[in-house]
Amino acid sequence: NNNILESIKSNIFAKNLQLKTVYFQDNRLNEISGSLLTQVEAITFADFSNNVCLNATLPDTKITPEIISKCSSPITFTCEYVFDANNIYTCNASMDDITDENVNTINFVGKHVEGNGDEDVRRLLIDSQVMKFYPPKVLAKFLPSINIITIMRSELTKIRKIDFEPYSSLDTLIINGNVIEEIEANAFERLTLKELDLSFNNITALPEKIFSKMNKLQILRLDFNELVNLEKDVLPCTKKIKEFTVSSNMLENVDTGIVKCLLNANKIDFSKNPCIDFKTTDAKKL
């Protein structure tokens, strides 16, 4: 479970004749061999949920329908009006749609709560194992009033300036557990974010002054990336930062000037990084 498997060899169970249960959920399986289960007649339960399973050619066995039903849609968009489980529905875009940069429609699955429409949706959660780019035009068109966007388990490698510009009401952006490697300069310049979470990605370096103009920013999380350096002008020095975490990176150099921007913070985490030494007067104030 919870790995990045994309396929399974057809003979993987060949010598495990007594095997009864197999669990492969939360991977990236897009192919399941037809002979995978016929080798082991003892298997009575198999969980392949939260996979893509586009090329599943399973034989007709008693558990085949169960496996196929558990293979999730490659992309799931979950819309919320408010933080209330009774006001949630799913708006789907097919894989074919989302791989086209010019996608201009979304097929909504589920109904709005009576009296609400697209413009009332406040939160969007995207769980995708195949999405390689964010489609800003279509989502901003249909869901113009989004306050919170969460993107998880996608194939996004880059955050572009055009991706989130259309959202004038956006105050929380969470893009964690993806494969982000690059952030365009000025990617967040026109946003009024209060919270930005880019943890659990592959970011090795930050563009110069990337967060410095985010005057409303209060929470910034960069944990579990591959950052080596932090420059002094990376943060906005508005005294509004309440939480800054950059644990489990590869930090060796942190400009001491960054400390001046954190004096009002109540949570700061530099843990699990190589040798960092703050020998400044400002650091003692923390």
Side-chain angles (χ1 to χ4, degrees):
N1 311 332
N2 293 289
N3 282 287
I4 52 175
L5 292 169
E6 295 182 353
S7 62
I8 307 174
K9 293 181 179 180
S10 60
N11 64 346
I12 191 172
F13 300 138
K15 295 182 180 180
N16 294 273
L17 301 181
Q18 302 302 314
L19 193 64
K20 293 185 178 181
T21 60
V22 291
Y23 297 89
F24 282 92
Q25 64 262 42
D26 292 294
N27 277 277
R28 298 177 182 176
L29 291 173
N30 52 39
E31 183 176 353
I32 301 177
S33 169
S35 59
L36 182 66
L37 300 178
T38 54
Q39 305 164 36
V40 188
E41 294 183 356
I43 291 181
T44 57
F45 178 81
D47 192 343
F48 285 81
S49 57
N50 291 326
N51 282 284
V52 183
C53 302
L54 298 177
N55 299 311
T57 55
L58 292 172
D60 186 16
T61 71
K62 59 184 178 181
I63 62 173
T64 296
E66 183 179 359
I67 292 175
I68 296 300
S69 68
K70 285 187 175 180
C71 283
S72 63
S73 168
I75 301 174
T76 300
F77 293 82
T78 302
C79 304
E80 297 182 16
Y81 306 113
V82 293
F83 295 102
D84 183 339
N86 296 321
N87 286 342
I88 299 174
Y89 69 97
T90 301
C91 41
N92 278 344
S94 72
M95 188 176 121
D96 289 339
D97 287 338
I98 213 69
T99 53
D100 181 356
E101 180 82 33
N102 298 312
V103 56
N104 56 19
T105 187
I106 292 180
N107 176 34
F108 287 103
V109 177
K111 298 180 179 180
H112 285 292
V113 173
E114 185 175 355
N116 291 281
D118 298 344
E119 68 280 0
D120 297 306
V121 174
R122 292 292 182 266
R123 176 171 177 170
L124 178 65
L125 168 63
I126 303 175
D127 186 348
S128 165
Q129 298 170 332
V130 295
M131 189 172 72
K132 296 183 182 298
F133 66 92
Y134 182 81
K137 294 180 181 178
V138 64
L139 290 176
K141 175 183 177 181
F142 284 93
L143 306 172
S145 304
I146 295 293
N147 299 132
I148 300 175
I149 295 177
T150 300
I151 304 174
M152 56 189 294
R153 299 198 314 168
S154 80
E155 291 295 309
L156 290 177
T157 60
K158 184 177 182 178
I159 298 176
R160 304 171 300 178
K161 184 178 180 181
I162 65 170
D163 286 339
F164 305 101
E165 273 188 339
Y167 297 99
S168 58
S169 302
L170 191 65
D171 59 34
T172 300
L173 180 59
I174 301 171
I175 310 179
N176 58 20
N178 296 276
V179 288
I180 301 296
E181 298 175 352
E182 181 183 355
I183 303 174
E184 266 188 12
N186 304 320
F188 310 112
E189 188 175 53
R190 297 186 181 181
L191 300 180
T192 56
L193 295 177
K194 294 181 180 178
E195 178 178 345
L196 177 60
D197 188 340
L198 299 174
S199 54
F200 292 92
N201 282 289
N202 301 328
I203 303 170
T204 58
L206 296 169
E208 186 178 358
K209 300 182 179 181
I210 184 63
F211 308 121
S212 62
K213 295 183 180 181
M214 300 176 70
N215 295 327
K216 294 188 176 182
L217 193 64
Q218 298 177 17
I219 298 173
L220 178 59
R221 300 187 184 101
L222 298 167
D223 311 282
F224 291 92
N225 279 285
E226 299 176 19
L227 293 169
V228 177
N229 301 306
L230 280 181
E231 304 297 334
K232 64 180 179 180
D233 55 5
V234 71
L235 294 178
C237 273
T238 58
K239 298 183 179 180
K240 292 183 179 180
I241 297 290
K242 299 300 181 185
E243 179 178 330
F244 178 66
T245 61
V246 66
S247 66
S248 299
N249 276 265
M250 302 174 68
L251 286 175
E252 296 177 354
N253 302 298
V254 178
D255 193 294
T256 54
I258 201 173
V259 174
K260 295 180 180 180
C261 303
L262 297 173
L263 294 179
N264 287 348
N266 52 38
K267 180 177 181 180
I268 303 169
D269 190 350
F270 281 91
S271 63
K272 298 181 181 178
N273 279 284
C275 309
I276 302 172
D277 190 5
F278 288 119
K279 292 182 179 178
T280 70
T281 302
D282 287 322
K284 293 179 181 179
K285 295 179 182 178
L286 296 176

